[in-house]
Amino acid sequence: AAWWNNHSLPKFNTNNPGVRDYLLFVTRYWLEFGIDGWRLDVPTEIDDDDFWREFRQVVKSANPEAYIVGEIWHPAQRWLQGDMFDAVMNYQITAPLLNFFGADNLNMTWSHSDVALKQRTNAVDFRQAIEAMFARYDWEIHYAQMNMLDSHDMPRALWLLNHDKDALRLTVLCQMTMPGAPCVYYGDEIGLAAGGDPYCREAFPWNEPMWWDQSLREFYQAAITLRRSHKALRTGDFAFLLAQEQTVAYRRRLGKQEVVVLFNAGESDAAVKL
């Protein structure tokens, strides 16, 4: 048996003790070598909870701070009970962010069952989608979730936003102020925009800096600096303060530090009372 019948990628029989021991040996070897964790490609292909529990024990015994993140697009309660993975690639946040900040300007020529793009999403829709996502797991999980706007397996965010860089800036700033571990797919920060596979995997134009959108790159740097400067944005609590029409406000709070984040995704000025 092979993954997608590709014989260079045979499926391993984890019921075989020798196979199991070898995979766990490899797991420990690279952690002791110095890697910071494991990003597991399609881990559902190993449909064996006991294997993944043992995998976690090996990882954490080698490095208690190592990060275990699985590529699971759909809701992943089974793997996020605290005994297998620390987090998953959180595609569950991708559509709510793109839908709200993309407003009526989304490129709907791409679709995916786990990233449901919708036109005409308002603030109430956004709040409901985010709160439904938060309701799935314990809060410790949300602080570790790998929050995605796009990846090598889907069109780039800017392409899905029909090249609207103002919408992308809002989306990125929201990503950076939400609970979780924000993931920046290489090249988004300089304005790369492309459709699905293989176009979304184009090489980074290292040797053509004249093609880079330096203003957008500086915005990414500023948004990341903002997150790093306020611990409340990384590990503070989260609560919505407002959701009306195209305006959203939420609070992040940690101890005496409180940050209020407010977005207007509409095309006109909005006055709100918090």
Side-chain angles (χ1 to χ4, degrees):
W3 186 72
W4 282 50
N5 295 319
N6 184 336
H7 296 299
S8 66
L9 296 172
K11 290 191 177 183
F12 295 133
N13 177 11
T14 55
N15 291 321
N16 183 309
V19 171
R20 207 177 186 97
D21 289 346
Y22 179 73
L23 292 176
L24 295 175
F25 164 78
V26 171
T27 298
R28 179 179 292 277
Y29 175 87
W30 289 108
L31 288 162
E32 292 177 346
F33 183 83
I35 69 171
D36 293 320
W38 284 97
R39 180 265 184 189
L40 303 165
D41 197 70
V42 288
T44 56
E45 292 291 323
I46 299 181
D47 188 12
D48 184 341
D49 290 358
D50 287 339
F51 172 82
W52 289 121
R53 292 186 181 104
E54 192 172 356
F55 173 88
R56 181 181 182 84
Q57 291 172 2
V58 170
V59 170
K60 299 300 182 178
S61 65
N63 177 5
E65 295 299 315
Y67 184 49
I68 307 172
V69 57
E71 184 210 10
I72 300 176
W73 290 52
H74 53 77
Q77 292 92 328
R78 170 182 169 185
W79 297 271
L80 295 177
Q81 299 295 319
D83 59 349
M84 288 188 259
F85 307 159
D86 295 319
V88 295
M89 295 174 71
N90 191 22
Y91 287 99
Q92 294 298 298
I93 201 173
T94 308
L97 289 174
L98 295 175
N99 288 343
F100 180 58
F101 294 108
D104 294 331
N105 192 32
L106 288 176
N107 188 331
M108 301 296 290
T109 61
W110 178 83
S111 63
H112 191 284
S113 59
D114 293 306
V115 182
L117 298 181
K118 299 177 182 178
Q119 300 278 25
R120 294 178 293 279
T121 296
N122 60 33
V124 174
D125 297 328
F126 175 74
R127 177 176 181 167
Q128 289 175 344
I130 295 298
E131 288 183 336
M133 180 190 73
F134 285 150
R136 291 193 185 106
Y137 313 116
D138 291 337
W139 265 102
E140 290 82 357
I141 297 296
H142 294 297
Y143 293 123
Q145 289 283 66
M146 187 175 177
N147 288 343
M148 319 288 299
L149 298 183
D150 53 11
S151 75
H152 61 288
D153 285 322
M154 62 175 285
R156 288 183 177 270
L158 186 55
W159 187 88
L160 289 170
L161 292 167
N162 275 325
H163 302 270
D164 184 343
K165 291 183 179 178
D166 288 335
L168 180 64
R169 284 179 169 86
L170 291 175
T171 308
V172 169
L173 187 57
C174 188
Q175 180 195 27
M176 293 296 169
T177 55
M178 278 276 180
C183 177
V184 177
Y185 183 44
Y186 77 91
D188 284 355
E189 74 281 9
I190 62 164
L192 291 190
D197 197 348
Y199 310 106
C200 55
R201 304 183 185 218
E202 65 184 300
F204 190 95
W206 294 108
N207 298 321
E208 290 84 23
M210 70 288 295
W211 293 355
W212 301 8
D213 185 329
Q214 296 292 358
S215 175
L216 183 62
R217 182 167 177 259
E218 289 169 2
F219 180 85
Y220 268 85
Q221 292 173 324
I224 293 168
T225 298
L226 177 70
R227 180 182 180 85
R228 291 174 60 86
S229 300
H230 300 284
K231 195 171 181 179
L233 291 177
R234 303 194 303 276
T235 58
D237 67 8
F238 178 94
F240 277 103
L241 303 177
L242 177 79
Q244 65 182 35
E245 297 178 352
Q246 294 303 118
T247 306
V248 158
Y250 51 83
R251 182 203 69 211
R252 303 295 311 279
R253 184 174 60 190
L254 183 69
K256 295 182 179 180
Q257 186 180 83
E258 184 174 53
V259 180
V260 173
V261 185
L262 193 146
F263 290 101
N264 176 12
E267 296 184 352
S268 58
D269 293 345
V272 299
K273 184 177 181 179
L274 299 180

